[in-house]
Amino acid sequence: MIKNIKNFAAYLLLSVLLVVAPQVGAGGVTAPANSGDIKTVGSQTGASDIVLTASAAQYQSIAMTAMGKSVWLEDARQVINGVGGPRRIIRNIGGYPFGIRDSGGTLLTVVAPGGIAYLTLESKGTAAGAWGVAGTGLEPGLVTIDQTLNSTYTSTVLAPFVALDDDTSIHFAAMSSGFAAFVVDGKGKVVSNPVPVSSTASSAPKMAFKVSSASAIVFFGSSTTDHQAAILTLTGATPSLSLSVGAPKSLTATMGTPWDGENALNAPKIAQLSSTLYVASYYTSTGVTTGIHAVAIAVSGADVSIGSPVRIDANASAASTTTYALTATTALVLYKGTSPAPYQNNAALITVSGTTSAAGTPVALGCVSTHAAAPFSTIVSSTKVIVSDDHNQNGALIDACAITVSGASLTAGAAATIEGGATAIPTSYIANSATRYNPHLWALASGATNTIGLWYVDNSGVSRAVVLSETAGTIASGTILYNSISPASSSPGIPLPQGTADFLVHGSATIAANQYTHRLIAHSISGTVVAPGAVLPLEEEAINLSPISSGYARLISGDYCVLAGSSLMVYRSNGLTLHKRGRIALPIANSGGVKPIIGARRMVIPSPSVGTTVGASTNQLRIVSVEFAQ
């Protein structure tokens, strides 16, 4: 008989330990005590996924003989004992990590070799149910594809990609002359044979967009006068998907580089108005056509049509355009006036009908600049675009203004000084420290009052983070947060891809030549206040990386990924707290840069291979696909 509450609590604890505590049995196989809910022990080995049934042994020793495999749990509604648990104990006695999925296919966790997972059923109202996971040796993601392309393709990593759905994406591989396209099939867990798109020397993809669930358009070129576009069409079915390439169409125009330097990373030159209509902006210095232009590109089936360019402004500088899609028939083009400084920021509305473009009268913005590069900018809605630049020549370090779109007219609001000061933002930081995935200026919320995030540094390296508010064309600045991204005493820092209520910063300090200490800093955004949160050091693998060259990605649920060396580290943050979820070992060399996120929780990583059989001086391109646990 239990005499008192204290003894009763001890009795319950002992009972639980007897149920779930592992014991070593014959052959060194660990098994739970044969009492309570866990009464049966099973062992399975396989090179394919293992599907458990409600009658399967509750304790499973699993040895997978191939990579990327998973154990699928039974229909939660069929679990006899109802909620509670642990209902399953699954141990990895093999050499490959494997996933554990609910019956709907959601990846719950990954069990590393030697690891063990305890699964508690929290809800059985649906087939998938809701499972709680605890254990040791658990990892945040599973490598599901690892395929090295043959020596036809170089190890050059090309940035453009397009996701057709959560399981299917199109990527590109460089050849010694030209480039090819291939499909990564997350469902079939295969990479298709690459199909040549262009065999022209130095030709490369500039940007790609989804046209339909089975097609995409790729923009490419190889010289100042070579600007082409072609349709890629998906054929076959998983796991035997392939691509066909439509006849490319060309735009004959002189630009500095193909499609004016569009590279899928920095300020966009090409905008998708609808699945079948696109607008590109560019600069040319040729004869009577000198200036900023726009051109429409239309898609019909596997055919591409390119219209005649329209000149927006003859008095403009090169390499400064940014193109935003406003509606299915309109776009906004930002650009800068001619030298010398100060460079005037301008905006023009482009209206498209078929492949015919019309340019509205350019509007001069209040922001001017000491440099000719594209300004910081973001689109908040179809009627509002915000522009910020480094110096307005009137004693301001940085300013910002709003562009309001009303029908066919543009209105530029007055420039608001965000911070005064005679110093300037270094041009190299403007050009090299951010991408369209982690921009200096990004939209937070839209409505009668729009809010926008902004970060920048001055010439001394001191960073700023601030929230701007815009109402009816007028911009106000919140309180500036200094030094959280980059203090003057450290190497430059950079925000990881930002959210609307939080973001992480990768900061570093130099400790020796080409060696750094690295840290992550959580940041939260509430209204117009930016506040720093928890700080967490990065792994030692990152010591030879600079923040700018590291690979970053943002997943759902506040998860962030940092690619350091051959490790993919996953962190979770709500802006205040910051925790490491785990590390995924990758069979690649670090390639840095932004990594393609496909759907909600999948990443494709193209990178030079570790090891090669094609020659001492030749790397091959290795394609790795990672699926992240919930």
Side-chain angles (χ1 to χ4, degrees):
M1 178 181 293
I2 301 172
K3 302 289 187 183
N4 53 46
I5 296 296
K6 181 177 180 180
N7 289 341
F8 180 66
Y11 172 81
L12 287 179
L13 176 61
L14 179 61
S15 299
V16 171
L17 291 175
L18 288 173
V19 170
V20 302
Q23 299 177 355
V24 178
V29 175
T30 301
N34 189 18
S35 62
D37 291 330
I38 309 300
K39 294 188 171 112
T40 53
V41 177
S43 179
Q44 300 189 56
T45 300
S48 58
D49 286 1
I50 293 173
V51 180
L52 300 179
T53 63
S55 61
Q58 290 173 285
Y59 182 97
Q60 294 284 333
S61 295
I62 304 292
M64 294 294 187
T65 58
M67 62 159 286
K69 305 307 177 183
S70 294
V71 175
W72 291 60
L73 301 176
E74 67 269 37
D75 185 328
R77 297 168 299 183
Q78 297 176 1
V79 176
I80 298 173
N81 294 329
V83 297
R87 291 289 174 256
R88 290 281 179 205
I89 299 178
I90 301 176
R91 185 183 178 211
N92 187 344
I93 61 171
Y96 289 94
F98 60 76
I100 298 178
R101 300 178 185 273
D102 64 27
S103 63
T106 298
L107 184 64
L108 303 177
T109 191
V110 176
V111 187
I116 188 167
Y118 299 86
L119 291 104
T120 299
L121 183 60
E122 298 174 347
S123 170
K124 56 181 298 184
T126 63
W131 297 86
V133 182
T136 60
L138 305 184
E139 297 181 343
L142 182 67
V143 174
T144 58
I145 300 173
D146 176 14
Q147 186 166 327
T148 301
L149 302 186
N150 66 41
S151 58
T152 301
Y153 311 98
T154 74
S155 61
T156 301
V157 175
L158 301 174
F161 74 97
V162 58
L164 298 181
D165 56 40
D166 285 1
D167 295 308
T168 314
S169 53
I170 297 174
H171 305 263
F172 302 94
M175 302 185 294
S176 58
S177 184
F179 71 98
F182 59 90
V183 179
V184 176
D185 178 2
K187 183 176 291 184
K189 296 182 174 57
V190 295
V191 176
S192 73
N193 292 323
V195 177
V197 177
S198 172
S199 59
T200 303
S202 75
S203 181
K206 309 304 291 181
M207 188 60 193
F209 298 91
K210 176 181 176 179
V211 174
S212 70
S213 60
S215 62
I217 183 171
V218 57
F219 293 84
F220 61 97
S222 63
S223 69
T224 60
T225 57
D226 181 25
H227 323 287
Q228 301 185 62
I231 298 297
L232 308 175
T233 303
L234 199 65
T235 60
T238 183
S240 300
L241 294 172
S242 60
L243 288 173
S244 63
V245 182
K249 296 297 175 65
S250 299
L251 169 66
T252 301
T254 300
M255 305 179 199
T257 54
W259 295 106
D260 202 30
E262 168 66 74
N263 62 2
L265 295 175
N266 295 321
K269 308 285 188 178
I270 306 170
Q272 183 180 41
L273 306 189
S274 71
S275 62
T276 58
L277 192 60
Y278 305 80
V279 168
S281 63
Y282 66 92
Y283 171 83
T284 181
S285 59
T286 304
V288 295
T289 62
T290 296
I292 297 293
H293 294 69
V295 63
I297 303 97
V299 173
S300 178
D303 186 52
V304 175
S305 300
I306 302 178
S308 298
V310 58
R311 185 160 67 175
I312 300 171
D313 195 334
N315 299 309
S317 61
S320 69
T321 64
T322 302
T323 311
Y324 288 116
L326 298 177
T327 69
T329 57
T330 59
L332 185 75
V333 174
L334 304 175
Y335 65 95
K336 284 187 172 174
T338 55
S339 58
Y343 294 92
Q344 174 66 57
N345 279 296
N346 303 280
L349 188 68
I350 308 300
T351 304
V352 180
S353 177
T355 57
T356 301
S357 303
T361 302
V363 173
L365 309 183
C367 301
V368 299
S369 175
T370 58
H371 63 87
F376 306 161
S377 64
T378 187
I379 181 169
V380 180
S381 68
S382 62
T383 61
K384 196 74 64 175
V385 172
I386 309 297
V387 176
S388 178
D389 219 332
D390 74 321
H391 204 299
N392 70 4
Q393 303 292 307
N394 293 317
L397 172 61
I398 191 165
D399 54 16
C401 63
I403 304 168
T404 302
V405 183
S406 178
S409 67
L410 300 180
T411 302
T417 298
I418 307 305
E419 183 180 3
T423 185
I425 297 174
T427 302
S428 61
Y429 214 80
I430 292 168
N432 302 324
S433 63
T435 71
R436 66 186 66 172
Y437 297 98
N438 58 327
H440 282 288
L441 196 68
W442 74 101
L444 296 173
S446 61
T449 295
N450 300 299
T451 54
I452 306 98
L454 170 65
W455 73 277
Y456 56 99
V457 299
D458 65 15
N459 269 324
S460 70
V462 173
S463 69
R464 281 84 161 162
V466 62
V467 173
L468 311 181
S469 299
E470 185 274 338
T471 305
T474 299
I475 291 180
S477 174
T479 302
I480 296 175
L481 177 68
Y482 297 90
N483 289 312
S484 67
I485 298 172
S486 176
S489 60
S490 72
S491 301
I494 187 171
L496 277 65
Q498 301 101 319
T500 57
D502 64 276
F503 63 93
L504 290 188
V505 165
H506 180 182
S508 69
T510 303
I511 57 175
N514 298 317
Q515 290 191 334
Y516 307 85
T517 57
H518 293 256
R519 63 189 181 278
L520 293 178
I521 308 103
H523 287 71
S524 64
I525 302 173
S526 178
T528 59
V529 176
V530 183
V535 179
L536 192 65
L538 278 175
E539 299 287 350
E540 293 182 359
E541 294 98 315
I543 193 169
N544 294 318
L545 300 178
S546 69
I548 304 302
S549 67
S550 298
Y552 308 113
R554 180 185 172 94
L555 306 173
I556 60 174
S557 302
D559 283 359
Y560 295 82
C561 301
V562 178
L563 179 62
S566 294
S567 296
L568 185 62
M569 293 172 286
V570 182
Y571 299 87
R572 177 164 291 179
S573 174
N574 61 3
L576 298 174
T577 61
L578 176 58
H579 300 279
K580 181 180 176 182
R581 292 197 61 197
R583 171 182 174 273
I584 305 168
L586 301 176
I588 59 172
N590 176 49
S591 61
V594 176
K595 299 306 172 189
I597 294 295
I598 312 300
R601 306 199 71 87
R602 191 165 69 87
M603 176 189 289
V604 174
I605 307 173
S607 177
S609 62
V610 174
T612 177
T613 59
V614 299
S617 61
T618 305
N619 283 325
Q620 293 171 259
L621 190 65
R622 196 163 182 169
I623 310 301
V624 174
S625 181
V626 178
E627 185 178 354
F628 297 94
Q630 67 174 12

